[in-house]
Amino acid sequence: MTKILAVASEVFPLVKTGGLADVVGALPSALKHHGIEMRVMLPVYPAVAASLKQAKPIHHYDDLFGGKVRILAGQAHGLDFLAVEAPHLFDRPGNPYLGPDGKDWPDNWMRFAALSRAAADVGSGRIKAFVPDIVHVHDWQAALAAAYLNFAARPAAKVILTVHNIAFQGHFPASIFASLGLPVEAFAIGGVEYYGGVGFLKGGLQYADAITTVSPSYADEITTPEYGMGLDGLLRARRSVLTGIVNGVDTTVWNPASDDHLALPYVARNFIQRRQANKRAIEQRLGLEEHEGPLFCVVSRLTGQKGMDILALCLDDLVGQGARLALLGSGEAQLESDFKAAASQYPGRIGVVTGYDEGLSHLLQGGADAILIPSRFEPCGLTQLYGLRYGCVPVVSRVGGLADTIVDANEAALDRESATGIQFAPVDASSLTRAIERATRLYADRKAWNSIQKAGMKTDVSWEKSAVRYKQLYQKLLQNR
Ligand code: ADP
Ligand code: GLC
């Protein structure tokens, strides 16, 4: 059995701020029946401690970044964990990255260097309880493991780095370098040095044996200056080890036939009537009036990446066409207040819930007619995949994983009954407005609309195909050992 240590800062259902958690939580079971044993390493935040009460220590440090640290092995929610217990770094409630002032914890470099260091120690084979063949690190918070492992004694595990979002890179001042415990030669252009400081993601990209990202289009995009956020040159240089593997959906968590969060679960045979009951439940919950036009929804972080400022500019037109909007989101204060203001301006037509609500996110997919995803960039995106599975038609910008997973309802695709959603480009308010108008017109043509829903619901959004791609990548890496 191939043994993999996955390393990440969040894992569903223990701790989640976005799609990263869903992916890291779903991969182990997707890979299990391919003969891959994956354990997941994450920090012991308070929510994790509550789920891992039975975990047993397998390693300890008297002093790692200023405190006692233990690595615990345990199980929860069907996942095998190695958890890094470092109370001085992780025993803090709330969002895993932000302090009570809403800003990054000032010692985030130390917190995630500690996670990476523990991962590298497991990867180097010194901890006999689990000796992995590969360490699979996710995003900047785990990326430094690649640097630590590069300098570890051989044989050590190979390293794969998956980039879920190149906008988050973990940049810190050069002054932290001395405390990282890396050899001096690591502070170089070919190492972790980045514009005079330390770049965790940059170092990971430099040292990883293989790099993946979460869709083929995003893999191409990040090699360009427009999307590479300063790392495009390095990614062009490493293009031969960079691949895009599209995310799947945990089809047990996201299953309209057995979803407890829905007012009424449904299957392909009865979805049209039953989704109506879910729509009524959304209307009640968000104070919306019944209306014949489409009900659009949004489930999103409220940020520039997600194009939420662009959506805010389209609301007069959306309401003017007889459509409604149910929005669930949290993020930038300005956007939260813009959407709340829109809800007061259009009572009964625009309903807004700010905050994080897993249950409501399912209900919206199960009852709204369409989901709006006008992202400026989108490495993969999961909400359009949930939309496909739930018959909630995705209206998406043509970028990254959105471009790769949605078939636009153009004439040819409608004729073939292969259309699954609506794509638009460029990402601006006038093309989003046109896309909303197209969706509203299509919605009025029930036959066309139902065929788009059905084609979406038939789309294979499971992990099956992508699990095979990861497995092939693991095998390829181990062949060259
Ligand atoms: P990203 O990770 O960039 O935020 P994804 O589409 O990959 O985007 O994943 C977002 C995940 O977070 C999805 O599972 C989505 O349902 C969930 N989500 C986003 N905002 C909220 C919210 N306010 N409440 C509940 N779930 C949310
Ligand atoms: C990131 C990306 C999102 C992707 C998710 C999981 O948060 O923004 O597009 O779906 O990671 O890979």
Side-chain angles (χ1 to χ4, degrees):
M1 246 210 185
T2 306
K3 291 196 169 108
I4 314 276
L5 179 71
V7 190
S9 55
E10 46 183 281
V11 184
F12 182 84
L14 299 187
V15 47
K16 166 170 166 181
T17 72
L20 167 67
D22 288 352
V23 170
V24 179
L27 262 178
S29 61
L31 289 165
K32 199 175 244 163
H33 64 270
H34 289 289
I36 290 166
E37 180 189 347
M38 181 175 270
R39 298 206 188 176
V40 183
M41 177 173 266
L42 87 174
V44 179
Y45 312 110
V48 174
S51 302
L52 283 178
K53 288 201 190 91
Q54 313 291 336
K56 300 268 179 315
I58 58 165
H59 190 68
H60 77 276
Y61 304 83
D62 286 334
D63 182 359
L64 186 63
F65 294 102
K68 279 199 185 353
V69 172
R70 299 195 298 172
I71 301 179
L72 310 176
Q75 281 156 349
H77 306 282
L79 296 166
D80 290 312
F81 288 102
L82 294 186
V84 180
E85 182 197 61
H88 65 299
L89 302 174
F90 300 124
D91 189 9
R92 304 174 195 181
N95 182 292
Y97 316 112
L98 310 177
D101 57 358
K103 296 201 181 111
D104 287 345
W105 290 107
D107 59 351
N108 270 351
W109 67 271
M110 206 192 274
R111 302 172 75 221
F112 296 110
L115 174 69
S116 301
R117 181 51 208 286
D121 288 341
V122 175
S124 72
R126 348 184 337 211
I127 301 168
K128 296 298 168 223
F130 186 66
V131 179
D133 303 297
I134 292 175
V135 175
H136 186 161
V137 299
H138 295 270
D139 275 354
W140 76 265
Q141 295 89 349
L144 213 59
Y148 286 122
L149 270 168
N150 182 67
F151 297 102
R154 307 284 114 177
K158 296 274 186 184
V159 181
I160 297 186
L161 167 58
T162 295
V163 179
H164 294 263
N165 194 335
I166 206 143
F168 302 110
Q169 302 184 352
H171 281 175
F172 301 101
S175 54
I176 70 152
F177 179 76
S179 309
L180 291 176
L182 283 165
V184 274
E185 65 257 42
F187 193 73
I189 277 245
V192 303
E193 189 272 337
Y194 190 52
Y195 289 107
V198 176
F200 280 30
L201 185 65
K202 190 265 177 177
L205 292 171
Q206 199 78 60
Y207 289 120
D209 298 296
I211 302 167
T212 72
T213 183
V214 286
S215 69
S217 286
Y218 194 61
D220 287 335
E221 285 169 357
I222 56 179
T223 64
T224 68
E226 190 185 352
Y227 293 97
M229 310 238 174
L231 290 169
D232 46 290
L234 168 53
L235 287 162
R236 284 195 297 281
R238 302 223 63 199
R239 190 67 182 90
S240 64
V241 298
L242 166 65
T243 47
I245 303 179
V246 97
N247 289 332
V249 161
D250 186 328
T251 50
T252 57
V253 176
W254 291 92
N255 182 3
S258 62
D259 190 328
D260 291 338
H261 301 299
L262 301 185
L264 205 54
Y266 54 88
V267 292
R269 178 168 36 81
N270 55 21
F271 79 96
I272 296 175
Q273 306 83 335
R274 289 183 156 228
R275 289 183 101 265
Q276 286 297 324
N278 295 317
K279 193 189 265 188
R280 298 287 96 84
I282 296 170
E283 288 163 354
Q284 272 190 354
R285 179 94 184 261
L286 274 79
L288 294 169
E289 290 160 6
E290 274 189 43
H291 201 277
E292 69 196 27
L295 173 61
F296 290 97
C297 77
V298 166
V299 179
S300 186
R301 292 186 286 121
L302 300 180
T303 64
Q305 174 192 342
K306 300 293 179 180
M308 288 293 121
D309 52 320
I310 297 171
L311 174 62
L313 299 173
C314 303
L315 297 180
D316 295 334
D317 194 83
L318 184 152
V319 172
Q321 288 168 51
R324 292 164 300 156
L325 175 68
L327 178 140
L328 167 64
S330 65
E332 289 166 20
Q334 182 62 50
L335 286 168
E336 290 193 6
S337 76
D338 289 350
F339 284 111
K340 280 187 180 147
S344 323
Q345 189 185 352
Y346 295 114
R349 295 304 195 87
I350 297 185
V352 170
V353 174
T354 54
Y356 195 89
D357 189 331
E358 193 72 29
L360 182 57
S361 77
H362 285 241
L363 180 63
L364 289 172
Q365 298 278 11
D369 298 299
I371 181 160
L372 297 173
I373 315 176
S375 306
R376 287 192 167 82
F377 66 95
E378 196 61 75
C380 179
L382 295 175
T383 56
Q384 83 280 13
L385 303 179
Y386 303 146
L388 290 175
R389 185 150 165 83
Y390 277 63
C392 183
V393 175
V395 177
V396 305
S397 51
R398 190 177 304 130
V399 294
L402 300 173
D404 289 346
T405 55
I406 300 302
V407 181
D408 180 61
N410 57 39
E411 292 291 325
L414 281 171
D415 285 346
R416 285 196 308 269
E417 300 194 337
S418 61
T420 60
I422 288 174
Q423 289 194 352
F424 67 91
V427 193
D428 60 25
S430 65
S431 40
L432 174 56
T433 297
R434 281 198 301 278
I436 292 170
E437 286 167 3
R438 259 177 86 199
T440 304
R441 274 198 308 277
L442 273 169
Y443 178 76
D445 176 350
R446 282 310 150 92
K447 197 162 156 269
W449 190 260
N450 291 342
S451 115
I452 298 173
Q453 288 178 296
K454 280 185 195 148
M457 291 172 80
K458 270 195 228 145
T459 304
D460 179 9
V461 293
S462 78
W463 269 105
E464 205 33 57
K465 279 191 239 132
S466 297
V468 171
R469 307 256 344 257
Y470 277 113
K471 178 187 157 189
Q472 288 165 343
L473 183 62
Y474 296 149
Q475 284 172 337
K476 193 166 144 206
L477 270 188
L478 294 176
Q479 267 164 19
N480 308 334
R481 244 200 317 203

